[in-house]
Amino acid sequence: MKTTTIRREIGLLSMLVLLLFQAHTQPQTELLLAYLPHDSVTIKTTVNNQLAAIPLQPAVRKSVDQYLDENAEMLDIVKKQNPANFKTIRKVLLKSGLPAGLLYLAIVESELKNSATSNAGAAGIWQLMPETARTFGLKVNGKTDQRRDVYKSSVAVTGYFNELYKQFDDWLLVVAAYNCGAGKVHKAIKQSGSREFWKMQRFLPAETSAHVKHFIATHFYYEQNGSEVTLTKKERNKYLASLNDVAVKTTTAPSPATVDQPADRVTTDKPAVELIAELKK
């Protein structure tokens, strides 16, 4: 799709720019942009092999801690029992140009249980409603229900994700719309006067607000880190800007072996997390 193509092109361009920067850095300084075809704006930068983490948003920390306290055992069991499903879903998402982190939404929806069925009639690991499933190519009738097929349902859901992303350009809003429907998210945006999830969440159903936070918690449990899908669009842009600033300062700074180091210079012997924290002050 056009949106996916644009994201891939932006990612490839970003990778090329950083590779050119790297060619002019000192040997002791390592600054890497790990371009992932599925997640063109999820940047993992290292300075002297220190990973620059995408932090947990302060607004959700309490909810994440509570959710993990109650569900860590379940999440561990899900991973141990589903290595093949993890691999299959990631492969489908990657092939479709989508962030691999969307896998964790299926865990929140169903704990990756094909047999899961809601009172409203949603079914399968992605908890798709019959009409939505049919819209995106699945057979749902008296004899066949492809919502319960991990591969086929995951392929179908990529179309749904792309449609929602076209509307909102924000993965947290996509997750919200996946739970309560795009109409309610648009209504919440209008009522709140904001497209920032943290500002408009109180205008969403309480279940939806919690659903988004559970998704973020699940992502952090498995990855010990955030990604594009755990940030609002505003947070994502701010994070990228801070990394770009680090990249420019690191790659243009004179070698410490030949020039006295000013007190305010960004140094590469600090973890990248600290560098980014300083830039945000």
Side-chain angles (χ1 to χ4, degrees), residues 123-195:
I125 64 168
W126 292 104
Q127 288 292 280
L128 292 169
M129 294 296 287
E131 190 57 36
T132 303
R134 295 187 186 102
T135 297
F136 293 98
L138 295 180
K139 293 181 180 179
V140 181
N141 53 47
K143 296 181 179 181
T144 304
D145 190 346
Q146 292 181 336
R147 293 177 298 172
R148 302 191 188 279
D149 184 296
V150 172
Y151 176 76
K152 292 179 180 178
S153 65
S154 296
V155 171
V157 85
T158 62
Y160 192 23
F161 283 140
N162 274 315
E163 181 180 282
L164 292 174
Y165 191 78
K166 281 183 178 179
Q167 293 186 49
F168 298 109
D169 191 26
D170 183 308
W171 287 112
L172 292 190
L173 297 188
V174 167
V175 173
Y178 192 95
N179 177 258
C180 69
K184 290 183 180 179
V185 175
H186 283 297
K187 182 178 179 180
I189 291 171
K190 184 176 180 180
Q191 291 176 326
S192 66
S194 175
R195 298 182 68 87

Side-chain angles (χ1 to χ4, degrees), residues 64-235:
V64 166
D65 287 343
Q66 181 178 347
Y67 183 77
L68 295 183
D69 283 344
E70 297 172 357
N71 294 280
E73 183 177 358
M74 175 273 290
L75 294 172
D76 188 50
I77 291 172
V78 168
K79 185 172 184 178
K80 289 179 179 177
Q81 292 181 343
N82 292 276
N85 287 339
F86 269 65
K87 184 176 180 180
T88 295
I89 297 168
R90 281 198 181 102
K91 184 177 180 180
V92 170
L93 292 169
L94 291 172
K95 188 174 180 180
S96 299
L98 290 168
L102 290 172
L103 155 68
Y104 304 119
L105 182 56
I107 297 172
V108 177
E109 291 285 342
S110 67
E111 298 179 18
L112 290 186
K113 295 178 180 178
N114 282 327
S115 60
T117 305
S118 74
N119 293 332
I125 64 168
W126 292 104
Q127 288 292 280
L128 292 169
M129 294 296 287
E131 190 57 36
T132 303
R134 295 187 186 102
T135 297
F136 293 98
L138 295 180
K139 293 181 180 179
V140 181
N141 53 47
K143 296 181 179 181
T144 304
D145 190 346
Q146 292 181 336
R147 293 177 298 172
R148 302 191 188 279
D149 184 296
V150 172
Y151 176 76
K152 292 179 180 178
S153 65
S154 296
V155 171
V157 85
T158 62
Y160 192 23
F161 283 140
N162 274 315
E163 181 180 282
L164 292 174
Y165 191 78
K166 281 183 178 179
Q167 293 186 49
F168 298 109
D169 191 26
D170 183 308
W171 287 112
L172 292 190
L173 297 188
V174 167
V175 173
Y178 192 95
N179 177 258
C180 69
K184 290 183 180 179
V185 175
H186 283 297
K187 182 178 179 180
I189 291 171
K190 184 176 180 180
Q191 291 176 326
S192 66
S194 175
R195 298 182 68 87
E196 273 284 293
F197 175 79
W198 308 114
K199 294 180 180 179
M200 49 84 80
Q201 62 172 317
R202 67 188 182 92
F203 295 94
L204 292 168
E207 176 190 343
T208 299
S209 178
H211 204 69
V212 173
K213 294 169 186 175
H214 295 168
F215 168 70
I216 294 172
T218 301
H219 191 296
F220 272 85
Y221 178 82
Y222 287 115
E223 300 290 341
Q224 292 81 53
N225 198 3
S227 75
E228 175 185 6
V229 297
T230 65
L231 302 174
T232 66
K233 181 179 179 179
K234 182 177 180 180
E235 290 167 341

